[in-house]
Amino acid sequence: MSSNTPTSDSQESAKPSNFLRQIIEHDLAQKTYAQRHWGGTPGDGAHHAAGPLDPSPVRLRFPPEPNGYLHVGHAKSICLNFGLARDYGGVCHMRFDDTNPEKEDQEYVDSILDAVQWLGFNWNSSADGQTTSHLYQASDYFGFMYRAAEALIEAGHAYVDEQSAEDMRANRGDFSKPGVDSPFRSRTPAENLARFRDMRDGKLPDGAAVLRAKISMASPNINLRDPAIYRIKHAEHHNTGNTWCIYPMYTFAHPIEDALENITHSICTLEFEDQRPFYDWLMERLIESGLLSSPPPRQYEFSRLNLTYVITSKRKLAQLVNEHHVSGWDDPRMPTIVGLRRRGYTPEAIQLFCERIGVTKDYSWIDYSTLEGALRDDLDHKAARAMAVLDPVKLVITNWDTLMGAGTLDACSAPVHPHHPELGRREFKFGRELWIERGDYEDTPPKGYHRLYPGNKVRLKYGHVIECKGALRDAEGRLTEVQAELVPDTKSGTPGADAIKVKGVITWVGAADGVAAEIRLYDRLFSEAQPDAGGKDFLASLNPNSLSLVQGFVEPALASSAAGTQFQFERHGYFVADRVDHQAGKPVFNRAVGLKDSWGK
């Protein structure tokens, strides 16, 4: 059995080891799960026992709750789970943990599926020429979860508690004192079963009762002090409608979902470490009841992604959107996967980033420059080159008409990519009037300045050498025009072009064929490395310069570029034709990342 995202042996051997790989390799060597059966679809112990031996050596899962858009932290989990399944010849299930009907929506379901596929993964497996989809949703297991709850009640492992929320909280105790038994804890299984069915049948209002596991109110692990496993919630579910008015708690539902799907290694972030004893307790009880078979899945935890200059709280990201601090979930400044994609990030760059940061149990911060560096490294060998002028001022070649003829345009060209000649060349025109960067001229140059100033010669890249003669300014002193003379016989690529030695080379766009473009200069959304640390108001550190809109000019070929196409604008960085607003005749480019880290200085 194999997933549809295979890797070669050389790629697999090149993967750096980590504690999760060591666990999986140990289990494979020990044949821990080799005798498990697979019923072809998720199901209980009897369902799987009727099937053949599981053809997948490992089963992992990516289980997001469909209550928001995925962010870069989820990307780490996606790459980890789907990548491990791929590398060990297994399968990764795509499962929606949709147990909370009030916050979930089909919009989020669709966006999550799109994000996983865009990152380069899928949830299919292939065996004997057949392809099987492993796309699941927890709400399809509500029937079994209810059976499991009744089995716990009948075995004396669960009870209905009708204390108020305040009393439950007070009686739970804390780290310095044990909890106090609920007055309802001594009910008989028959009483609890009848009351639980009243909950199911809608006879009790929201908050009137919960079903709790009966473990120990004196446990030093507060999560084992009779945790709630079902609550009443009269709310319509996007998948099951109004079938249920009681819903399982996540800590109860998640291990059951793993077991029904024959998951071998249930990988989650460190905040669930204290929940692992309940995970194991529940698996043991349901195996004892005969509902599940052995061996059960095991939970393993790794450190979540903490990225500087970024927040990943869904609540805070929603606040940014709802209060219009950003233009939406796909705003290129957002750390959402849709935002990163619109910014110009590639799936390969995000996978490279996740591989570089590794997998550990250590709590640490990853510098944002690591993410940017992965994008640069990915785009360097694939992005077509182009010249663009972001802060344009007119350059006039005053002797052009005399030397070249009035109205003459000189054809120039450059490689689409300097290291891939097979991609061909790009064409553009050099004429009397050109656009250059405003910062490429100084009346009085500072030390080390090799661009345009009166009397200095520079090369216009892929074009000719010119000698600066001066500039014009308006009444306010703003630069309006730079003037220069063409130095004859210096066109790039022609004999004698290098006879005149210059220290400065600047980029340009021809006024005759250059294309006006809106260029969005994106930067980090926050000016502080940890914008919400210590309970700070994260809005207070919003970077006022996170977006600048400029009207510039680009090479003529870019007018017909498709949305989503990436370029390296020479001297400026990597840019992408905006996925939403870019169109023929009205190009819009987003800066994905500069050519080097400007924040590290």
Side-chain angles (χ1 to χ4, degrees):
M1 186 176 211
S2 63
S3 74
N4 282 358
T5 51
T7 185
S8 69
D9 291 340
S10 60
Q11 287 175 312
E12 186 175 21
S13 62
K15 299 291 183 183
S17 185
N18 56 57
F19 77 98
L20 291 174
R21 287 183 177 274
Q22 293 166 5
I23 289 169
I24 291 174
E25 290 165 5
H26 175 269
D27 286 342
L28 290 174
Q30 296 297 313
K31 302 185 183 303
T32 303
Y33 296 99
Q35 298 306 309
R36 295 197 324 167
H37 289 249
W38 169 246
T41 57
D44 60 16
H47 171 77
H48 289 309
L53 288 175
D54 193 338
S56 183
V58 294
R59 287 184 184 269
L60 294 91
R61 81 292 170 270
F62 174 62
E65 184 179 356
N67 65 350
Y69 283 79
L70 300 185
H71 53 63
V72 65
H74 295 111
K76 177 181 178 179
S77 182
I78 292 169
C79 293
L80 176 61
N81 282 285
F82 282 93
L84 288 172
R86 171 199 63 203
D87 293 347
Y88 291 101
V91 64
C92 183
H93 294 186
M94 179 69 233
R95 178 211 303 153
F96 287 104
D97 226 319
D98 56 347
T99 58
N100 189 346
E102 292 180 317
K103 297 182 179 180
E104 295 158 0
D105 193 272
Q106 187 64 38
E107 173 190 355
Y108 301 133
V109 171
D110 296 340
S111 72
I112 290 169
L113 294 178
D114 180 67
V116 172
Q117 291 177 311
W118 177 74
L119 279 171
F121 301 103
N122 68 69
W123 41 88
N124 296 334
S125 63
S126 300
D128 301 324
Q130 300 293 317
T131 298
T132 301
S133 170
H134 297 282
L135 174 60
Y136 305 120
Q137 45 196 355
S139 55
D140 287 337
Y141 311 146
F142 282 167
F144 178 87
M145 292 177 190
Y146 181 83
R147 283 173 56 202
E150 286 207 346
L152 292 176
I153 292 171
E154 291 169 344
H157 296 310
Y159 63 98
V160 174
D161 193 348
E162 298 181 56
Q163 294 182 91
S164 68
E166 292 75 17
D167 287 344
M168 283 185 63
R169 192 177 301 110
N171 291 335
R172 195 182 187 204
D174 54 33
F175 292 109
S176 62
K177 63 180 180 180
V180 177
D181 284 358
S182 164
F184 298 95
R185 198 174 193 268
S186 59
R187 277 176 165 167
T188 65
E191 290 172 324
N192 283 309
L193 193 59
R195 204 58 175 152
F196 186 52
R197 289 173 177 172
D198 287 342
M199 291 171 59
R200 176 199 64 187
D201 296 339
K203 296 180 180 180
L204 300 176
D206 289 6
V210 296
L211 182 67
R212 300 177 71 177
K214 186 186 288 187
I215 305 178
S216 171
M217 292 302 293
S219 173
N221 184 342
I222 295 178
N223 295 290
L224 294 181
R225 294 181 186 177
D226 294 5
I229 57 177
Y230 257 95
R231 80 284 204 197
I232 303 169
K233 195 175 288 288
H234 290 83
E236 183 173 343
H237 190 281
H238 74 276
N239 180 39
T240 59
N242 292 305
T243 302
W244 299 92
C245 63
I246 56 171
Y247 291 95
M249 305 296 287
Y250 177 81
T251 51
F252 176 74
H254 184 244
I256 289 176
E257 296 158 21
D258 286 344
L260 295 178
E261 295 179 17
N262 251 21
I263 300 303
T264 55
H265 303 81
S266 181
I267 300 171
C268 56
T269 47
L270 277 175
E271 60 261 38
F272 295 101
E273 186 173 27
D274 289 341
Q275 297 287 356
R276 186 177 356 119
F278 177 71
Y279 187 111
D280 295 339
W281 178 91
L282 180 60
M283 292 293 94
E284 290 170 7
R285 302 292 82 75
L286 296 182
I287 290 172
E288 289 172 357
S289 72
L291 288 176
L292 299 177
S293 56
S294 185
R298 296 293 183 189
Q299 176 179 300
Y300 303 94
E301 307 86 19
F302 68 98
S303 60
R304 63 180 295 172
L305 173 62
N306 295 302
L307 188 63
T308 59
Y309 301 98
V310 162
I311 59 169
T312 54
S313 160
K314 286 184 179 179
R315 178 182 60 81
K316 293 174 182 177
L317 292 175
Q319 185 178 347
L320 289 172
V321 174
N322 296 333
E323 295 181 1
H324 306 293
H325 298 289
V326 293
S327 62
W329 288 99
D330 67 343
D331 187 299
R333 294 166 292 181
M334 289 281 275
T336 53
I337 294 176
V338 288
L340 290 169
R341 182 180 183 182
R342 190 172 177 188
R343 176 75 169 258
Y345 276 81
T346 63
E348 296 82 4
I350 295 175
Q351 288 191 44
L352 178 60
F353 166 71
C354 292
E355 184 175 312
R356 284 178 174 176
I357 62 177
V359 180
T360 70
K361 282 181 169 285
D362 297 329
Y363 180 89
S364 61
W365 284 85
I366 304 297
D367 195 87
Y368 193 84
S369 63
T370 307
L371 177 62
E372 293 179 319
L375 180 59
R376 290 189 194 96
D377 290 346
D378 181 56
L379 290 182
D380 178 61
H381 71 277
K382 66 173 61 168
R385 277 27 176 189
M387 288 194 293
V389 176
L390 308 188
D391 186 12
V393 67
K394 185 70 67 69
L395 170 67
V396 177
I397 311 296
T398 57
N399 64 341
W400 180 266
D401 291 352
T402 301
L403 292 178
M404 306 294 288
T408 299
L409 295 175
D410 188 23
C412 296
S413 70
V416 171
H417 194 288
H419 305 304
H420 297 288
E422 70 278 8
L423 296 178
R425 299 184 69 81
R426 55 194 211 265
E427 309 289 334
F428 37 85
K429 303 294 186 181
F430 192 113
R432 179 178 183 273
E433 295 184 349
L434 310 169
W435 296 108
I436 62 170
E437 295 290 348
R438 188 173 301 274
D440 282 345
Y441 174 82
E442 292 282 352
D443 288 318
T444 304
K447 184 178 180 181
Y449 187 87
H450 298 301
R451 285 167 279 171
L452 290 168
Y453 56 88
N456 193 44
K457 295 183 178 70
V458 303
R459 175 170 293 283
L460 296 177
K461 196 170 187 181
Y462 312 119
H464 301 259
V465 173
I466 60 172
E467 180 177 351
C468 181
K469 294 301 181 180
L472 302 179
R473 296 183 180 273
D474 61 19
E476 286 74 39
R478 179 174 171 80
L479 184 67
T480 59
E481 182 180 298
V482 178
Q483 297 179 338
E485 290 185 355
L486 186 73
V487 178
D489 302 321
T490 57
K491 183 179 179 180
S492 295
T494 62
D498 296 330
I500 304 296
K501 301 297 183 182
V502 296
K503 292 184 177 180
V505 178
I506 66 174
T507 50
W508 54 278
V509 172
D513 64 349
V515 176
E518 178 179 315
I519 300 173
R520 300 169 180 175
L521 302 177
Y522 290 102
D523 209 332
R524 300 179 187 184
L525 185 56
F526 296 97
S527 56
E528 291 189 25
Q530 298 178 27
D532 57 352
K536 291 186 297 187
D537 177 10
F538 68 101
L539 297 178
S541 60
L542 281 170
N543 178 11
N545 300 313
S546 63
L547 170 60
S548 299
L549 300 178
V550 301
Q551 297 298 316
F553 292 92
V554 296
E555 286 182 18
L558 272 62
S560 58
S561 59
T565 306
Q566 285 119 345
F567 297 92
Q568 184 197 102
F569 287 177
E570 299 185 32
R571 293 176 59 197
H572 294 297
Y574 294 96
F575 290 73
V576 64
D578 186 76
R579 297 182 65 231
V580 177
D581 298 326
H582 177 86
Q583 55 186 292
K586 189 182 178 182
V588 178
F589 295 95
N590 302 331
R591 180 171 63 190
V593 65
L595 291 177
K596 58 184 179 180
D597 179 19
S598 61
W599 283 69
K601 296 180 179 179

